Amino acid sequence: MEIIFYHPTFDTPYWIAELSKKLPGARIRGWERGDNAPADYALVWHPPVEMLQGRALKAVFALGAGVDSILSKLKANPEMLPLSIPLFRLEDTGMGIQMQEYAVSQVLHWFRRFDDYQALQRESTWQPLADYTHDEFTIGIMGAGVLGSKVAESLLAWGFPVRVWSRSRKSWPQVTSFAGDAELGEFLRGTRVLINLLPNTAETVGIINASLLEQLQDNSYVLNLARGVHVVENDLLAALDSGKLKAAMLDVFSREPLPKESPLWLHPRVTMTPHVAAVTRPQEAIAYIAQTITQLERGETPSGQVDRVRGY
Ligand SMILES: NC(=O)C1=CN([C@@H]2O[C@H](COP(=O)(O)OP(=O)(O)OC[C@H]3O[C@@H](n4cnc5c(N)ncnc54)[C@H](OP(=O)(O)O)[C@@H]3O)[C@@H](O)[C@H]2O)C=CC1
Ligand SMILES: O=C(O)C(=O)CO
């Protein structure tokens, strides 16, 4: 079995060595321009078109959870990967716990009013504030997939009311589920902390815009953990300045790295991280990919296949 690997920043020799331990029969090589030799599987992130085009692959693996970059490249170059070749993505593989850590720490930060206390500290003001209660701190998670479900679970454990919004309805204990565009308004009206874990698709791009933000409760919070293009950044800034939003924490941006001139950098109620909410953990990802390849070789149907028509 021949496997080709391409990632613009990962340590390719390390990945090849570790993958080889899990797939001892496989010949694995880092792909370089001009390599047209046969391959059965391709493991990729931001792959050049020529890496995949014209190959009789058994499957392609995205080395992350989101497949928006590969799908948008495919839109422009459909011949890069025919629909008959399945595309897999990483399902959790250690990203769930990272999203839980991020979401729980930030929600608790807002819930315990550490943002307000930090502002008071800057003025050397000693001023105890009224506590927030859990029942006025409903968490609304957009996207109830692999990562959204993990985040829901962790915030429930801290006693917050949790609701989710997705395409299909969920029947999860203690979680209120809203499904489809028709129920988005009702979902938003009860949400105090909006957490975004949607995939980037034609339907979700720009979804966090002025009209959506207007439907949230006053003094709400936004935590964007998914993709920058979900948020209309000027609308978010306007909602912060109008007082509709109390604060936003952003991990992802419409342009990355965030340009120096972006007003988001200096906004007093915006905090940010540079797209690190959940990174690919090599050992977990390698175990998942090796197991999935083994299942495919046995003729089984592993989970994690992307529905390319649906876009996630
Ligand atoms: N910032 C970071 O470091 C990282 C960001 N991410 C981002 O997180 C995203 C989510 O990952 P993951 O949980 O694994 O993805 P999943 O595919 O498992 O979940 C996607 C969820 O979004 C819902 N959804 C999709 N389209 C719509 C729509 N039009 N309306 C309502 N709901 C919709 C799906 O609904 P249904 O359940 O009905 O199908 C599903 O619940 C990734 O696509 C990626 O962009 C991922 C990893 C790291
Ligand atoms: O896996 C993903 O989709 C990511 O965004 C990794 O940072």
Side-chain angles (χ1 to χ4, degrees), residues 11 44 51 58 123 127 159 162 185-186 200 227 267 270 275 287:
D11 179 349
V44 300
M51 176 182 181
K58 293 184 186 171
E123 300 164 5
Q127 174 65 63
V162 175
E186 197 188 344
N200 170 16
R227 286 291 183 263
H267 196 288
V270 173
H275 198 146

Side-chain angles (χ1 to χ4, degrees), residues 45 64-66 95 227 275 278-280:
W45 196 245
M95 290 191 228
R227 286 291 183 263
H275 198 146
V279 299
T280 297

Side-chain angles (χ1 to χ4, degrees), residues 109 113-123:
H109 181 88
R113 306 193 63 167
F114 292 154
D115 52 344
D116 293 323
Y117 286 118
Q118 280 168 347
L120 289 168
Q121 183 183 348
R122 281 192 289 274
E123 300 164 5

Side-chain angles (χ1 to χ4, degrees), residues 65-68 89-92 95 99 142-148 165-170 180-181 197-201 203-204 207 225-227 230 251-252 275-279 310 312:
V67 285
D68 45 343
R89 70 185 189 97
L90 299 182
E91 283 190 321
D92 194 335
M95 290 191 228
M99 287 296 187
M142 299 174 84
V146 172
L147 301 175
W165 180 68
S166 46
R167 289 202 333 168
S168 56
R169 194 170 309 287
K170 311 298 173 198
D181 293 344
L197 275 165
L198 287 167
N200 170 16
T201 66
E203 288 76 36
T204 65
I207 193 166
L225 300 176
R227 286 291 183 263
H230 288 133
D251 180 57
V252 282
H275 198 146
V276 292
V279 299
R310 197 177 60 166
Y312 67 99

Side-chain angles (χ1 to χ4, degrees), residues 7-25:
H7 193 293
T9 58
F10 283 2
D11 179 349
T12 301
Y14 171 82
W15 275 75
I16 291 175
E18 294 301 307
L19 266 163
S20 304
K21 287 183 199 161
K22 292 268 192 293
L23 291 168

